[in-house]
Amino acid sequence: MSDASETAREPGQAGRRRSMISVLLLAVAAVCLWGASRMTWVEVTSSDGLGEERTSALVGGAWAAALTPLALTLVAAIAASFAVKGWALRVLGVLVAVVAVAAAVPAVGLIVSGASDDDAGRLAELPGRAEVQSVSVHVSPAVLALVGALAALAAAVELVRRPRVRAGLSSKYDSPGARRDAAKKAGTDSAEGPVTQRMLWDALDAGEDPTVEDKKAEPVDQVDGPDKDPGTRT
């Protein structure tokens, strides 16, 4: 009985473990993207020829405006991962993967190519006569955003690989009679398919031992007694 129960619990434990891993990864990704959106990515030094040079800081929310909405999307994905199952969970995993790619693009672009004067001046909203003197790039926020993107991609993989759950209502909503019939049937079909923990308990409630194979009743030799009464056991 204990071995059968452990076997029945293994798929459920694997599903819960993958669920917790995916939730943790989504939370880490959302925090990384949100933190990166609040940090300074680019600093623009400009001059209009009339006064001192002006330095403008471009945070992640300005340089990569999608970071904050993407972080909120990942938070929503955490709630959705508890509400959907089956093919809908796989669709959710694909959407999370798209979010991961969208978050990685600006981070990789800044790390690899840096920031152009034109893009920096446009995002800094400089006055018409001002000219960009220099642009300095802060790589650490882009690295943090890239870490969040990788965490989101790993979460997407966990969501897609989560064990499938059979569709339909749970057996706990069945009537006691239906559950007893299912338990008796499970006792005969246990060799042909997996036995769940619910089926094991239902079998015990029905008076069946699911861990013992059914044995055919041994034939009883009968003889006629002195009065030829049938049914005398020898």
Side-chain angles (χ1 to χ4, degrees):
M1 177 65 182
S2 60
D3 294 340
S5 299
E6 290 296 332
T7 302
R9 280 198 294 267
E10 285 179 0
Q13 291 176 348
R16 287 191 294 271
R17 182 168 58 251
R18 288 193 180 278
S19 176
M20 295 307 299
I21 291 175
S22 62
V23 168
L24 180 60
L25 289 171
L26 287 173
V28 170
V31 170
C32 289
L33 295 186
W34 182 85
S37 70
R38 297 296 184 268
M39 299 172 66
T40 299
W41 287 47
V42 176
E43 286 185 348
V44 183
T45 301
S46 62
S47 174
D48 58 4
L50 299 177
E52 296 181 355
E53 292 183 347
R54 170 187 174 188
T55 301
S56 302
L58 298 177
V59 298
W63 183 260
L67 285 180
T68 301
L70 292 177
L72 295 177
T73 302
L74 293 178
V75 173
I78 295 176
S81 66
F82 293 104
V84 298
K85 293 180 176 64
W87 64 267
L89 193 62
R90 282 147 185 81
V91 171
L92 179 63
V94 173
L95 294 177
V96 171
V98 172
V99 170
V101 174
V105 169
V108 173
L110 187 69
I111 294 173
V112 174
S113 304
S116 65
D117 292 351
D118 293 338
D119 291 338
R122 176 176 52 83
L123 293 175
E125 298 180 350
L126 298 178
R129 60 185 300 171
E131 295 181 357
V132 176
Q133 300 298 316
S134 64
V135 174
S136 60
V137 174
H138 297 268
V139 178
S140 55
V143 172
L144 182 62
L146 188 57
V147 170
L150 293 176
L153 187 60
V157 174
E158 290 295 328
L159 290 173
V160 172
R161 294 178 58 189
R162 188 182 299 182
R164 294 186 178 182
V165 179
R166 290 186 301 174
L169 294 176
S170 173
S171 60
K172 67 181 181 180
Y173 296 107
D174 295 338
S175 63
R179 288 170 56 184
R180 283 194 296 271
D181 293 340
K184 292 180 179 179
K185 183 179 179 180
T188 59
D189 296 343
S190 59
E192 300 177 1
V195 180
T196 64
Q197 186 178 10
R198 168 62 64 182
M199 294 168 60
L200 295 175
W201 286 113
D202 289 344
L204 293 176
D205 292 340
E208 301 287 339
D209 188 351
T211 63
V212 179
E213 297 182 356
D214 293 338
K215 297 181 179 180
K216 295 182 179 179
E218 297 180 357
V220 178
D221 295 334
Q222 295 181 348
V223 297
D224 295 339
D227 299 331
K228 297 186 181 296
D229 291 334
T232 303
R233 188 185 299 271
T234 59

